[in-house]
Amino acid sequence: MGMAKAEIIERIHQDGVVPILRTPTSEDALEMADVLRQAGMQCLEIPLTVPGALDAIRELSVSFAPDLLVGAGTVLTMDHAMAVQEAGGAFIVMPVFDGSVVAFCHAHGMACFPGALTPNEIYTAWQAGADVVKVFPASAVGGPDYIKAIKAPLPHIELMPTGGVTLDNAAAFIQAGAFALGVGGDLTDVVALRSGRRKVIAERAHTYVELVREARAQRKRSEIPPPAY
């Protein structure tokens, strides 16, 4: 195992964006990964629903480690987790929570982002050792307002909203307290890729990272207490 888990989590936090390459083919995923890597993105997620996902994860992990962290999404079972670990995946993202998968990731130095939605589910996943809890589907339940509401009583739990994250709401999610954002089709545009408009995807990636940076700076400024006179 290459990179220490703490460094994996820190790198994901630096960009604040985890592109989800839910593409029709693994060829699309590899090409999309190339565009994002050249645009300076440090991490990406390939869902296991993509045909040939494990081969793509293996190929990217071998070719571009340690510059590019490649994780697997839509991990549901222990068999999935073992296959991802064998393929060299750096992190695992789940739409649901399974304590045995979280434990497996810990044992093998992989970061684990299980999925949860309600306050109770989010707390349970965190208590079980989730490195970051993926809040899914985030936009369907109120988007940034929902994240803000969760963070109020549970400020210590790191959250990665996923599902319906766009350029329009990315900054609001970060200002609401999100650790990072899982971003799918709004960034990883297969139509743009297949029509040769790689630059459009690269520019969107840059815009996302800039929005995250600016929103974090704003959040920091708003956290500074007023001077006591």
Side-chain angles (χ1 to χ4, degrees):
M1 180 69 204
M3 195 175 293
K5 191 173 70 166
E7 193 183 338
I8 293 170
I9 295 161
E10 173 54 31
R11 289 265 297 272
I12 289 170
H13 184 250
Q14 273 172 14
D15 276 358
V17 177
V18 178
I20 303 163
L21 279 56
R22 196 176 292 286
T23 56
T25 70
S26 58
E27 288 77 21
D28 289 324
L30 288 168
E31 195 181 336
M32 187 78 73
D34 194 50
V35 175
L36 294 167
R37 182 182 65 83
Q38 291 188 26
M41 300 298 287
Q42 299 191 72
C43 61
L44 54 87
E45 167 192 334
I46 299 180
L48 294 186
T49 47
V50 174
L54 289 165
D55 290 334
I57 290 167
R58 185 178 288 108
E59 189 171 325
L60 291 168
S61 299
V62 169
S63 303
F64 301 117
D67 299 334
L68 186 68
L69 294 176
V70 185
T74 325
V75 173
L76 296 173
T77 64
M78 188 64 96
D79 284 348
H80 284 168
M82 290 163 76
V84 172
Q85 191 257 335
E86 195 271 323
F91 60 96
I92 273 178
V93 184
M94 310 171 70
V96 293
F97 164 69
D98 182 327
S100 60
V101 173
V102 176
F104 176 84
C105 289
H106 276 305
H108 292 86
M110 290 188 291
C112 190
F113 298 7
L117 188 60
T118 66
N120 199 50
E121 289 170 355
I122 290 166
Y123 182 75
T124 301
W126 183 257
Q127 288 292 96
D131 295 300
V132 177
V133 179
K134 166 181 166 172
V135 179
F136 172 79
S139 291
V141 292
D145 287 345
Y146 186 71
I147 298 300
K148 192 175 180 181
I150 295 286
K151 287 291 281 190
L154 303 170
H156 60 293
I157 300 184
E158 301 293 10
L159 304 176
M160 181 171 77
T162 306
V165 177
T166 66
L167 285 177
D168 291 335
N169 62 23
F173 270 118
I174 295 292
Q175 283 168 349
F179 176 84
L181 308 172
V183 186
D186 192 59
L187 170 57
T188 56
D189 183 344
V190 178
V191 176
L193 184 79
R194 287 184 169 182
S195 59
R197 291 176 293 141
R198 294 167 63 111
K199 195 171 172 212
V200 172
I201 299 165
E203 282 169 359
R204 265 183 116 69
H206 288 143
T207 305
Y208 264 105
V209 173
E210 278 308 308
L211 279 173
V212 167
R213 196 171 292 145
E214 180 50 39
R216 281 179 180 161
Q218 248 171 306
R219 193 169 88 199
K220 229 184 177 84
R221 285 196 292 272
S222 69
E223 282 167 3
I224 297 169
Y229 292 114

